[in-house]
Amino acid sequence: MYAPTSTNSPRSGPTSGDHDALTDFDGAGEILRAWGNGLRPDPDLTVSEWADRHRMLSGRASAEPGRYRTVRTPYMREIMDRLSPGDPTQRIVFMKAAQVGATEAGNNWIGFAIHQAPGPMLAVQPTVELAKRNSRQRIDPLIDESPELRERVKPARSRDAGNTMLSKEFAGGILIMTGANSAVGLRSTPARYIFLDEVDAYPASAEEEGDPVTLAEARSLTFAHRRKVLLVSTPTIRGMSRIEREYEASDQRRFFVPCPHCGAMQWLKFDRLRWQKGRPETAEYHCEGCETPIAEHHKTAMLEGGEWRATATAADPTTVGYHLSALYSPIGWLSWERIVRAWGAAQGSDEAIKAFRNTILGETWVETGEAPDWQRLYDRRERWTSGTVPAGGLFLTAGADVQKDRIEVDVWAWGRGLESWLVDHVVIEGGPDRHDAWSELTALLDRSWPHERGAHLRIARLAIDTGYEAPAVYSWSRAQGFGQVSPVKGVEGFNRSSPVSGPTFVDATEGGKRLRRGARLWTVAVSTFKAETYRFLRLARPTEEEMADGAAFPPGSVHLPHWVENEWLKQFVAEQLVTVRTKRGFARLEWQKLRERNEALDCRVYARAAAWIAGADRWPDEKWRDLEDQLGAAPTDPDPAGQINRPGQAPQGKRRSDWLGRRGGWF
């Protein structure tokens, strides 16, 4: 039987007499100090304290380079500190105006997590391209300008798969950056921290796999109470805004600031900003308590004395919500005078007022969506030569709606400011199963319409719906070439960042053979263009006397010809926007039909999408001037075949594709 002995083994470590000998060499002191520093715990900082101590702003990414100072935007302190691990809050919602420092606060959180509380983090932008841009313009400078981060995140290398434009590895965690349009990116990895930026610009669904916010937040559920989710956005449309819905479900905090005269605490409202008519520089804020005017130079002290106060009870106690308008913008950023000037410049344009409410006030826009009276449109019809493009029209697009027994096509002319004229309405009998119907549609692409200035215009781009007999639409579109024809798929919902997305490649069938990725499909947020059309129809028009004095139609005006019939007009206003309640009690906007047939409205939406795809929403003034010059110039020199060509007219005897490539378009 084994019995332990009492013999002592020699010590493996040095004895006290040997200690001095082990440290008696050059550099021993530095090693001991480094070892001691390694044993010392990191300081228990909040996110705002970390930013003030370690964050440096680069001249590449900031208008005020140098050390970050939370005191510059005091309203961001509490929001950032809610993101600290020691705070029990799990979800932070921030509905705000543009340019109030929210994105930099989110980047402070990213830096804090890398340095102080490492873990997997997911940062989501509206699209993958925006995520790449944010990585280059924001995240790379964040790391490069902060030594504590630079030593923890290795620079991107071709052989280092963990550190790329969209992923940054660091000890204890990884930062994944992706777009809300990428389902793969949203479900790629579990994440303790989730930063959802500009959520109102997210698509309704990430590649048809569901709501991007829901997909992203699902990545954090396994972290339970340790997770942190930050949702940030300027709002868009009432009933469709994600950030408004989240804010209304929160405790709805407002930033209360003291009056420098009476001390009354209040949150700033636009209707209390007053100025002398025509003199924005006189803008002052009138206190709710004493009605004394407050000059803007008091704003710095007011912000320093401000505090967030809840104005509601949250449905979820782990969620807090904040709202902030640009009225709080620090001195040197957006002044009250500039806000007043922006308000004045927006008058007369629903679209401009909508942008003001969204980006300056941080509030949603209420879309009426009320269908205009078709009889009013009938009375407003205009007379110009039938089949002729009026002088203001600079290029043509068409929208085609495929039905079981016919294909309906509307041709629209577009001018500056998206002013538009209905040029032609064509009904091709027979539907998609009739070969001759497609031949007639092809002939329409070859047709030209005379312009009032003497040129002839062809259709720059035709958008055709794929909702019925999509394989036949894809096959015909391939045969015509995607440079002039765009198959489209309508989806419900509004999309602020891009009402048209794509193209995405889909399978097509040609001659009974399946072609992988053989067609290009564009996705259209039809609600956006329907609401825009109704806004344009409600625009006030100049009277005959005003036009005689040189007054012009406002941008976006819709001109309808005298030959348009009652049935077409009824189809044009066949839907209205209504508010419905979801099972969870949230408000949602939905387009509903007032009558069965609505082809005219659908064709308008597709033609409008075609104009967007052609680039009309993004053309600079030089492009519009070039179109005007082409239509108004004298005939050009004869081409090599001896034919005289007018601007906007394809050279005779040449293929359309040759002319398209040389001229850059069908105008």
Side-chain angles (χ1 to χ4, degrees):
M1 181 173 169
Y2 173 77
T5 68
S6 60
T7 304
N8 291 328
S9 299
R11 292 173 60 90
S12 58
T15 64
S16 59
D18 297 330
H19 185 271
D20 292 339
L22 290 176
T23 58
D24 187 16
F25 60 90
D26 291 341
E30 287 77 4
I31 293 176
L32 289 174
R33 278 193 297 273
W35 180 68
N37 290 336
L39 294 178
R40 185 183 301 118
D42 289 331
D44 186 17
L45 301 176
T46 64
V47 173
S48 67
E49 291 170 342
W50 179 91
D52 288 335
R53 183 176 298 189
H54 298 292
R55 179 76 195 279
M56 297 296 294
L57 298 174
S58 167
R60 289 191 287 159
S62 174
E64 298 181 356
R67 185 168 297 280
Y68 182 90
R69 295 177 299 139
T70 303
V71 69
R72 191 77 171 100
T73 53
Y75 46 77
M76 293 307 308
R77 185 183 304 277
E78 179 178 320
I79 297 174
M80 287 192 286
D81 290 349
R82 291 286 184 180
L83 297 165
S84 306
D87 192 283
T89 306
Q90 295 180 25
R91 299 176 78 250
I92 297 90
V93 177
F94 190 19
M95 183 171 75
K96 48 84 179 182
Q99 304 301 317
V100 294
T103 299
E104 288 301 343
N107 291 338
N108 289 341
W109 179 37
I110 292 175
F112 172 87
I114 293 174
H115 186 200
Q116 296 285 304
M121 173 176 273
L122 180 65
V124 184
Q125 294 288 328
T127 66
V128 174
E129 284 303 313
L130 286 175
K132 292 179 180 178
R133 184 188 306 172
N134 185 71
S135 177
R136 291 191 301 267
Q137 297 180 353
R138 300 275 190 169
I139 304 303
D140 287 347
L142 163 71
I143 296 170
D144 293 342
E145 300 296 329
S146 301
E148 291 78 11
L149 303 183
R150 194 165 59 243
E151 67 183 20
R152 285 168 171 77
V153 181
K154 297 178 181 179
R157 299 191 189 96
S158 58
R159 295 183 180 180
D160 190 352
N163 291 280
T164 65
M165 182 180 295
L166 293 179
S167 69
K168 309 291 182 183
E169 283 189 355
F170 48 91
I174 184 173
L175 169 63
I176 299 292
M177 292 165 280
T178 188
N181 59 342
S182 171
V184 173
L186 294 176
R187 51 179 167 80
S188 58
T189 182
R192 178 183 176 184
Y193 308 120
I194 297 180
F195 179 18
L196 304 174
D197 199 10
E198 290 300 336
V199 297
D200 270 19
Y202 289 5
S205 179
E207 298 177 324
E208 300 185 0
E209 292 197 17
D211 174 48
V213 172
T214 303
L215 293 176
E217 287 206 53
R219 302 294 91 210
S220 67
L221 296 180
T222 55
F223 288 89
H225 66 280
R226 295 187 300 134
R227 72 174 186 144
K228 295 284 184 180
V229 180
L230 174 62
L231 299 94
V232 177
S233 189
T234 51
T236 49
I237 299 172
R238 177 74 54 84
M240 300 297 295
S241 172
R242 284 189 177 94
I243 199 69
E244 182 189 52
R245 183 171 65 244
E246 295 288 352
Y247 176 74
E248 290 184 343
S250 74
D251 56 2
Q252 301 180 31
R253 298 181 178 227
R254 304 274 190 173
F255 197 65
F256 284 71
V257 295
C259 170
H261 306 295
C262 70
M265 299 293 286
Q266 59 206 287
W267 62 273
L268 302 183
K269 306 175 182 67
F270 180 63
D271 60 7
R272 300 204 68 82
L273 193 63
R274 313 283 169 76
W275 62 93
Q276 297 176 22
K277 186 175 181 180
R279 298 185 61 196
E281 67 276 8
T282 63
E284 293 177 316
Y285 192 88
H286 285 240
C287 172
E288 290 182 5
C290 63
E291 289 294 338
T292 304
I294 303 172
E296 189 165 17
H297 66 79
H298 291 293
K299 189 192 292 185
T300 300
M302 293 168 67
L303 292 180
E304 290 175 352
E307 63 182 31
W308 287 102
R309 294 181 179 178
T311 62
T313 302
D316 176 8
T318 65
T319 297
V320 294
Y322 301 87
H323 176 268
L324 197 78
S325 75
L327 293 172
Y328 294 90
S329 187
I331 299 293
W333 288 15
L334 185 62
S335 66
W336 289 344
E337 176 185 343
R338 288 175 57 194
I339 290 175
V340 170
R341 291 188 185 279
W343 173 250
Q347 300 310 299
S349 168
D350 280 357
E351 197 66 27
I353 294 177
K354 173 185 174 183
F356 181 89
R357 295 193 69 87
N358 291 167
T359 62
I360 303 297
L361 302 185
E363 298 174 355
T364 51
W365 167 260
V366 179
E367 194 74 72
T368 59
E370 182 180 351
D373 182 13
W374 72 268
Q375 292 177 319
R376 177 168 166 264
L377 298 182
Y378 182 89
D379 295 337
R380 278 180 18 183
R381 295 177 306 166
E382 302 172 36
R383 185 171 295 276
W384 66 80
T385 304
S386 181
T388 300
V389 181
L394 300 178
F395 72 101
L396 304 180
T397 68
D401 187 20
V402 180
Q403 301 287 327
K404 181 178 180 180
D405 58 348
R406 67 195 183 283
I407 302 175
E408 298 213 12
V409 184
D410 283 337
V411 181
W412 287 85
W414 302 90
R416 282 181 178 269
L418 295 176
E419 192 172 358
S420 60
W421 295 260
L422 178 64
V423 173
D424 208 344
H425 171 64
V426 179
V427 179
I428 300 174
E429 301 293 345
D433 58 348
R434 175 174 167 262
H435 182 270
D436 288 347
W438 295 112
S439 298
E440 292 179 37
L441 189 57
T442 301
L444 195 65
L445 294 176
D446 288 328
R447 179 180 164 186
S448 64
W449 284 260
H451 192 277
E452 188 174 303
R453 296 179 181 177
H456 283 73
L457 300 184
R458 286 188 171 91
I459 294 172
R461 188 171 290 268
L462 179 143
I464 182 169
D465 179 36
T466 60
Y468 183 77
E469 289 292 341
V473 174
Y474 293 149
S475 178
W476 177 79
S477 300
R478 275 180 55 84
Q480 308 313 310
F482 295 113
Q484 192 181 8
V485 175
S486 299
V488 296
K489 174 186 178 182
V491 294
E492 292 300 324
F494 294 81
N495 192 320
R496 177 184 62 179
S497 63
S498 179
V500 182
S501 58
T504 56
F505 290 92
V506 295
D507 295 346
T509 303
E510 191 170 284
K513 182 179 179 181
R514 183 189 178 197
L515 302 175
R516 284 185 54 79
R517 297 166 58 87
R520 300 176 187 177
L521 178 66
W522 297 82
T523 302
V524 180
V526 295
S527 294
T528 300
F529 288 142
K530 288 177 182 178
E532 177 194 80
T533 297
Y534 280 14
R535 282 200 306 274
F536 288 169
L537 289 173
R538 290 194 297 269
L539 290 174
R541 297 182 164 218
T543 64
E544 293 184 3
E545 293 78 9
E546 290 171 336
M547 286 190 288
D549 291 336
F553 283 90
S557 294
V558 179
H559 302 270
L560 302 176
H562 66 280
W563 50 260
V564 72
E565 299 177 350
N566 293 358
E567 174 60 26
W568 188 96
L569 290 170
K570 292 176 182 178
Q571 293 179 21
F572 197 44
V573 292
E575 299 184 25
Q576 67 178 356
L577 192 62
V578 299
T579 302
V580 298
R581 291 282 174 180
T582 66
K583 293 180 179 179
R584 297 176 61 190
F586 293 129
R588 179 171 59 86
L589 295 179
E590 181 180 284
W591 285 95
Q592 293 182 355
K593 287 185 178 182
L594 298 172
R595 63 196 308 273
E596 184 59 30
R597 293 191 59 181
N598 65 341
E599 294 92 325
L601 180 58
D602 285 343
C603 287
R604 162 72 184 201
V605 167
Y606 304 145
R608 174 67 180 91
W612 192 98
I613 295 170
D617 295 70
R618 302 171 296 283
W619 285 340
D621 186 66
E622 292 77 9
K623 175 68 174 178
W624 291 104
R625 283 203 304 267
D626 181 57
L627 296 181
E628 291 167 340
D629 291 343
Q630 290 184 42
L631 290 171
T636 62
D637 293 334
D639 71 359
Q643 302 288 348
I644 296 291
N645 299 306
R646 291 185 177 276
Q649 185 175 17
Q652 300 181 33
K654 293 186 177 291
R655 294 182 302 171
R656 292 196 317 275
S657 57
D658 291 340
W659 182 74
L660 180 63
R662 183 162 60 88
R663 301 281 298 187
W666 292 99
F667 18 77

